[in-house]
């Protein structure tokens, strides 16, 4: 197995609660892991966003962060890195990805238009709809077979995209947004061939093509591993080619920026840039900081170099694949093949005694916390299903999954073994696990604030 190209310099203690304390904590949290306190969690796999460890070089850079209101040195360091990486002539900083989405979609999309994607991430979907447009997902058919080992299950369905663009709704398509890697569908990568074809279709129909590039480096690594033409390319070269194909991007830099906060918009079009910049200044901050502190910009400038290091990416990819093997050996299926930033457990298959309306993914997630203090997120009917006014499930999600997101440079192999052992314990006697019912839900983005209760 490739060794991580770093050693640990600063550590943070992790809590170990008793099973009784965890049961009490989950009850008080309304059985929603988002309501748990971090000091109740032993291994936190809720998100890979903003949860990574920074390097000594990043912290050294942060110490010389320039906090000037306008034109700070730190801004120019950040700008040089992002412009060199992406090649876009206009870069706007934002405090995180969804702020970039709000500004870009609010400026680019008109009410009634359609934004098409391989799969919109949840906040991305919400921001498209808040702009009055429709978010439409066209994942490739291979993505729907969770067990298949097809290398690029993150791709968009090109036939469906071509039909949409040429058909009666084609006029309404205001944007094609490719999410790399496809976080909503199993952390699967998008091939360069798919991006090239999307680029050609968008050119043909005069539709803007953007990347949601939160995991641009991890996508590049998987392209290098799985798409023969790109063997031997550096991750940076592959990422650059992806950016070259698009008219612009939104990036949450909380992932492959290797920092706890940050994001950016990259643009080619001068007029779109001027309009986004006006919105940015009114809502996020001046266009040389965009809601970020100088020390954040410094950490990001260094992080964006470190993240494309092949030694780092190969060790991270191998660690995730290894965890998938341990989990599969424990008798729990995961979406295949393993991606990099997260593993997706097939809860529907592990808990066939629970119907989608009893939220098997949520049950499995809760059990991981109750048994091992492991926090993760449901990606099933609780997150994606449609409900009636009494919170009863009307349309289930296509799959009942649980996402184990892997923070960058944080957990060691022993931590992963512990997670797999906890799952093995659950897989030995899955029938003891009961379902859940919804007690109350918020108007949008249900999973963040929903409260539940266990079924008897
Ligand atoms: N796009 C993708 C593909 C994402 O995964 C995320 C965030 C965003 C946009 C929004 O970025 O959080 O900086 O505002 N994903 C996190 C996750 C939250 O856990 O997957 P943000």
């Amino acid at each position: 197995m490739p060794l991580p190209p770093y050693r640990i310099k600063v550590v943070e203690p992790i809590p170990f609660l008793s099973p009784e304390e965890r049961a009490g904590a989950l009850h008080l949290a309304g059985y929603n892991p988002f309501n748990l306190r971090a000091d109740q969690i032993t291994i936190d796999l809720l998100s890979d966003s903003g949860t990574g460890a920074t390097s000594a070089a990043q912290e050294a850079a942060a110490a010389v962060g320039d906090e000037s209101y306008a034109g700070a040195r730190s801004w120019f360091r950040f700008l040089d890195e992002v412009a060199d990486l992406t090649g876009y002539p206009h870069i706007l900083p934002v405090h995180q990805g969804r702020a970039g989405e709000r500004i870009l979609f609010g400026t680019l999309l008109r009410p009634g238009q359609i934004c098409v994607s391989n799969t919109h991430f949840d906040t991305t979907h919400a921001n498209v709809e808040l702009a009055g447009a429709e978010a439409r997902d066209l994942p490739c058919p291979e993505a729907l077979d969770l067990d298949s080992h097809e290398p690029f299950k993150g791709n968009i369905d090109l036939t469906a995209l071509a039909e949409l663009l040429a058909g009666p709704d084609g006029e309404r398509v205001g944007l094609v947004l490719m999410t790399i890697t496809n976080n909503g569908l199993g952390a699967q990568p998008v091939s360069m061939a798919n991006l090239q074809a999307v680029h050609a279709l968008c050119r043909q129909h005069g539709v803007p093509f953007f990347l949601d590039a939160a995991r641009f480096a991890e996508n590049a690594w998987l392209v290098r591993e799985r798409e023969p033409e790109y063997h031997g390319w550096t991750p940076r070269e592959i990422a650059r080619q992806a950016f070259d194909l698009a008219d612009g991007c939104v990036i949450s830099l909380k992932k492959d920026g290797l920092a706890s906060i940050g994001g950016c918009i990259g643009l080619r079009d001068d007029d779109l840039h001027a309009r986004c910049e006006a919105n940015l200044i009114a809502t996020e901050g001046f266009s040389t900081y965009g809601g970020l502190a100088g020390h954040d910009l410094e950490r990001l400038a260094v992080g964006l170099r470190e993240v494309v290091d092949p030694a780092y990416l190969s060790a991270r990819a191998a660690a995730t694949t290894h965890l998938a093997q341990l989990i599969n050996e424990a008798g729990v299926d995961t979406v295949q093949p393993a991606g990099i930033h997260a593993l997706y457990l097939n809860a529907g298959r592990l808990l066939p005694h629970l119907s989608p309306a009893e939220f098997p993914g949520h049950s499995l997630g809760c059990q991981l916390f109750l048994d091992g203090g492991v926090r993760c997120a449901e990606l099933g009917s609780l997150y994606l299903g449609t409900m009636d006014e009494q919170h009863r499930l009307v349309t289930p999600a296509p799959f009942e999954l649980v996402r184990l997101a892997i923070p960058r440079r944080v957990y060691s192999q022993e931590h992963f073994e512990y997670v797999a052992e906890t799952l093995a314990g659950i897989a030995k006697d899955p029938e003891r696990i009961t379902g859940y019912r919804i007690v109350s839900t918020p108007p949008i983005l249900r999973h963040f604030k929903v409260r539940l209760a266990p079924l008897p």
Side-chain angles (χ1 to χ4, degrees), residues 291-310:
L292 293 165
H295 58 81
D296 296 322
L297 292 164
E298 293 281 354
R299 287 192 186 89
L300 287 164
V302 177
L304 285 169
R305 284 267 153 191
E306 293 179 349
V307 78
V308 288
D309 173 10

Side-chain angles (χ1 to χ4, degrees), residues 32-33 45 55 73 107 192 195 206 219 271 295 319 342 378:
N32 182 342
L45 307 184
S55 67
R73 276 191 315 277
T107 311
M192 297 305 292
L195 292 179
N219 199 77
D271 176 58
H295 58 81
E378 190 253 15

Side-chain angles (χ1 to χ4, degrees), residues 125-280:
H125 190 281
N127 276 302
V128 168
E129 305 225 319
L130 287 171
E134 176 196 332
R136 202 178 286 184
D137 291 340
L138 297 178
C140 67
E142 295 84 353
L144 303 180
D145 178 354
L146 304 186
D147 302 315
S148 94
H149 282 260
E150 290 290 323
F152 289 107
K153 288 158 77 175
N155 285 351
I156 198 167
D157 182 339
L158 290 170
T159 313
L161 178 63
E163 276 170 16
L164 173 64
L165 289 169
D169 274 348
E171 290 288 301
R172 287 208 291 134
V173 178
L175 176 64
V176 176
L177 182 75
M178 290 293 289
T179 310
I180 57 170
T181 57
N182 194 337
N183 183 25
L185 263 181
Q188 300 295 314
V190 176
S191 70
M192 297 305 292
N194 196 252
L195 292 179
Q196 276 150 359
V198 172
H199 165 85
L201 279 170
C202 286
R203 266 292 135 81
Q204 188 189 336
H205 293 274
V207 175
F209 167 29
F210 273 66
L211 297 177
D212 174 350
R215 300 176 181 85
F216 68 89
E218 295 180 356
N219 199 77
W221 183 257
L222 293 170
V223 162
R224 174 180 144 130
E225 296 293 286
R226 300 182 187 176
E227 198 166 355
E229 295 87 318
Y230 292 88
H231 288 170
W233 286 48
T234 67
R236 197 178 173 90
E237 287 164 345
I238 297 170
R240 177 54 182 269
Q241 193 176 78
F243 288 120
D244 281 348
L245 288 167
D247 299 306
C249 68
V250 266
I251 316 183
S252 165
L253 293 171
K254 299 179 69 171
K255 288 84 172 168
D256 280 348
L258 295 182
S260 52
I261 198 76
C264 67
I265 307 174
L267 298 165
R268 296 194 198 285
D269 186 86
D270 297 338
D271 176 58
L272 183 60
H273 166 249
R275 289 187 295 134
C276 286
E277 186 179 45
N279 189 327
L280 175 83

Side-chain angles (χ1 to χ4, degrees), residues 46-49 96-98 101 121 123-124 179 183 212 214-215 252 254-255 403:
L46 186 64
S47 180
D48 65 316
S49 181
Q96 67 180 91
R98 67 198 73 177
E101 294 162 6
F121 177 67
T123 61
T124 319
T179 310
N183 183 25
D212 174 350
R215 300 176 181 85
S252 165
K254 299 179 69 171
K255 288 84 172 168
R403 187 184 77 165

Side-chain angles (χ1 to χ4, degrees), residues 383-454:
Y383 169 67
L384 291 168
T386 55
M387 313 275 172
D388 68 13
E389 307 227 312
Q390 276 75 49
H391 317 309
R392 282 180 309 229
L393 185 67
V394 179
T395 323
F399 306 108
E400 303 298 334
L401 304 177
V402 175
R403 187 184 77 165
L404 305 183
I406 320 282
R408 294 169 180 78
R409 307 191 287 204
V410 169
Y411 292 117
S412 66
Q413 181 144 343
E414 291 92 323
H415 295 115
F416 289 152
E417 284 164 9
Y418 171 86
V419 172
E421 277 162 28
T422 309
L423 270 168
I426 295 173
K428 278 199 192 97
D429 186 15
E431 302 241 316
R432 76 186 155 104
I433 296 178
T434 58
Y436 284 80
R437 68 179 172 85
I438 292 178
V439 175
S440 64
T441 61
I444 59 164
L445 292 167
R446 176 171 54 225
H447 52 293
F448 286 117
K449 298 304 292 179
V450 64
R451 294 184 78 85
L452 302 104

